[in-house]
Amino acid sequence: RDVTGVQTCALPILLLVLLPVCVLVGFTSATAVSDWRFASELRSFQSATQVSFATAGLAGQLAEERTAAVLVTLRSGAEDQNGLAAAERDVNQALGEAEASAAGWHGTVDVEGRLQAASRQLAALRLQVSTGSLSVQEISDSYSVIVNDLITTVGDLIAGRPTQASGRAADAYLAIVQAVEAAQRERADVASVLSAPGANPTALASRWATLESAALDTFRRNASGQLTADLEAVLFEAAGTTVQQVRDAFLTDPRTAVAHTSLGTWLAASGTRIDGLRSIARGAAADLAASASRDLRSAQAGGLRDLGLSLGVLVLVAALALALRRSITRPLHEVSEGARTLSGGDLSFDVRYAGRDEIGDVAAAFRDLRVTAERLAS
């Protein structure tokens, strides 16, 4: 009865010993599942950044078409007509790329719907521009509505902020995109003022410069040191200095500034400066893409590590449990079988287990009992 009782209690004791290990395995498994869910969020954010890059590219090309449409309305030269046609082709290509990028997007932002709406607005606007039914200011404002909607879509796509690093990179990218749009809007509006000397440029000169400055301040707070240094280089190169001088002159004496600033000089300087800002925007996009990829790899590696640890611990625990159970139940079964054989009168059965533990003591007692039984039988 004592041997049977010990054998019966072996399994509960074993389970009690293994309980903390099982809790550890459960905790590690839960951590692995959490890592994989986070990796899924990061994967969605990475896809959203790719769609946002294509959408921002479309917004930039539309800004170029806006300037070309304004120049055609102001001057109607053959060169300007060719420039508008080229800008329209670039926009059509960018629109196709954005639509292709959004085709595989399944997030909460309806990018396809917004692109379709932008396409319809653009078709109607081009028709009005071709018929000459819009003023220069109306053309600029109408294009700006479409561009701002696209930039809003960019902001919605990268608003997830899964990690602090990706969030800062996203803020820097959106800020430089907004700064480029402010500079583009200023370029078109100042061009219209220089072509119409009777207009007063004071309001527009301060308006777009203020918006650009606010966006660049946000960019500086969130961008990497290299991009910030590149920005300062763009702002203080020859083209950037020329643009700033025109701005200061418009604020100081608008009439004199218009009289002494040529349209060609303004378009060349502002275009070169915007190209520099666009280069920085591409760098910010690269930083955002790299940050998203880095976060995703880190989360996936953490999930694999925790999952591997869980499986390793589980296999080890299972092996130890099996070995421990066999080390307890096999000698107990041998002693139990010997006891039943001895009780049946067979004195030939012997227990070979000789461990230095409680089961070994039971086996030694059984051997002593068998010897005593043989002696008494003799």
Side-chain angles (χ1 to χ4, degrees):
R1 285 197 303 271
D2 291 342
V3 171
T4 303
V6 172
Q7 189 173 12
T8 304
C9 293
L11 185 58
I13 294 174
L14 179 62
L15 293 177
L16 183 62
V17 172
L18 296 178
L19 181 61
V21 181
C22 293
V23 172
L24 175 61
V25 171
F27 176 77
T28 308
S29 301
T31 303
V33 171
S34 177
D35 287 340
W36 279 108
R37 288 178 178 174
F38 184 52
S40 179
E41 295 178 7
L42 289 171
R43 197 175 297 108
S44 297
F45 179 75
Q46 187 180 44
S47 299
T49 60
Q50 297 302 318
V51 178
S52 75
F53 297 154
T55 306
L58 173 59
Q61 292 300 331
L62 270 173
E64 289 291 334
E65 182 177 332
R66 175 181 56 203
T67 302
V70 166
L71 293 177
V72 164
T73 305
L74 290 172
R75 301 187 301 193
S76 300
E79 183 178 353
D80 295 321
Q81 292 287 352
N82 293 334
L84 178 58
E88 289 178 349
R89 288 193 297 270
D90 291 341
V91 169
N92 292 339
Q93 180 179 352
L95 179 59
E97 293 173 354
E99 289 174 340
S101 177
W105 168 250
H106 303 291
T108 57
V109 181
D110 184 15
V111 182
E112 284 187 299
R114 297 187 186 186
L115 290 177
Q116 291 173 1
S119 179
R120 291 191 297 269
Q121 290 176 293
L122 179 60
L125 178 56
R126 284 175 173 176
L127 181 60
Q128 291 176 307
V129 171
S130 64
T131 59
S133 59
L134 296 179
S135 66
V136 170
Q137 191 61 48
E138 289 173 336
I139 291 174
S140 182
D141 291 342
S142 298
Y143 272 102
S144 297
V145 169
I146 304 175
V147 172
N148 289 333
D149 287 343
L150 291 174
I151 293 177
T152 298
T153 300
V154 172
D156 293 340
L157 284 168
I158 60 177
R161 309 180 64 86
T163 66
Q164 183 177 6
S166 294
R168 287 175 60 88
D171 289 343
Y173 175 66
L174 180 60
I176 193 65
V177 169
Q178 292 170 336
V180 171
E181 166 55 15
Q184 287 275 27
R185 187 70 187 271
E186 178 188 43
R187 186 174 189 238
D189 286 357
V190 171
S192 67
V193 169
L194 293 177
S195 300
N200 188 343
T202 305
L204 67 90
S206 61
R207 177 185 180 186
W208 302 122
T210 300
L211 290 177
E212 179 195 287
S213 178
L216 292 181
D217 286 343
T218 301
F219 176 79
R220 291 186 182 95
R221 289 194 299 269
N222 295 282
S224 63
Q226 181 60 52
L227 288 178
T228 303
D230 292 342
L231 173 63
E232 300 307 320
V234 169
L235 296 180
F236 289 100
E237 65 181 0
T241 302
T242 299
V243 169
Q244 188 59 49
Q245 289 173 348
V246 172
R247 288 174 175 176
D248 294 340
F250 279 8
L251 290 173
T252 304
D253 189 352
R255 304 297 180 185
T256 303
V258 171
H260 290 82
T261 304
S262 70
L263 178 60
T265 299
W266 167 252
L267 290 176
S270 60
T272 301
R273 183 175 181 274
I274 289 171
D275 288 342
L277 293 177
R278 282 179 169 174
S279 176
I280 295 172
R282 289 192 292 271
D287 280 359
L288 176 55
S291 179
S293 298
R294 189 165 51 249
D295 290 340
L296 178 58
R297 289 195 302 270
S298 177
Q300 289 176 333
L304 288 174
R305 182 181 61 252
D306 292 338
L307 182 60
L309 180 60
S310 299
L311 293 176
V313 172
L314 185 59
V315 171
L316 179 61
V317 169
L320 290 176
L322 181 60
L324 183 59
R325 186 175 184 276
R326 293 183 64 181
S327 68
I328 294 175
T329 57
R330 179 176 293 178
L332 283 176
H333 178 73
E334 186 179 1
V335 174
S336 177
E337 183 65 23
R340 284 192 295 270
T341 302
L342 182 60
S343 66
D346 185 0
L347 303 180
S348 62
F349 186 86
D350 190 18
V351 176
R352 293 184 295 274
Y353 183 76
R356 295 182 178 181
D357 51 17
E358 290 78 0
I359 301 176
D361 294 340
V362 174
F366 174 81
R367 287 190 290 269
D368 293 341
L369 175 62
R370 187 179 67 82
V371 171
T372 303
E374 287 180 343
R375 185 172 64 250
L376 292 175
S378 300

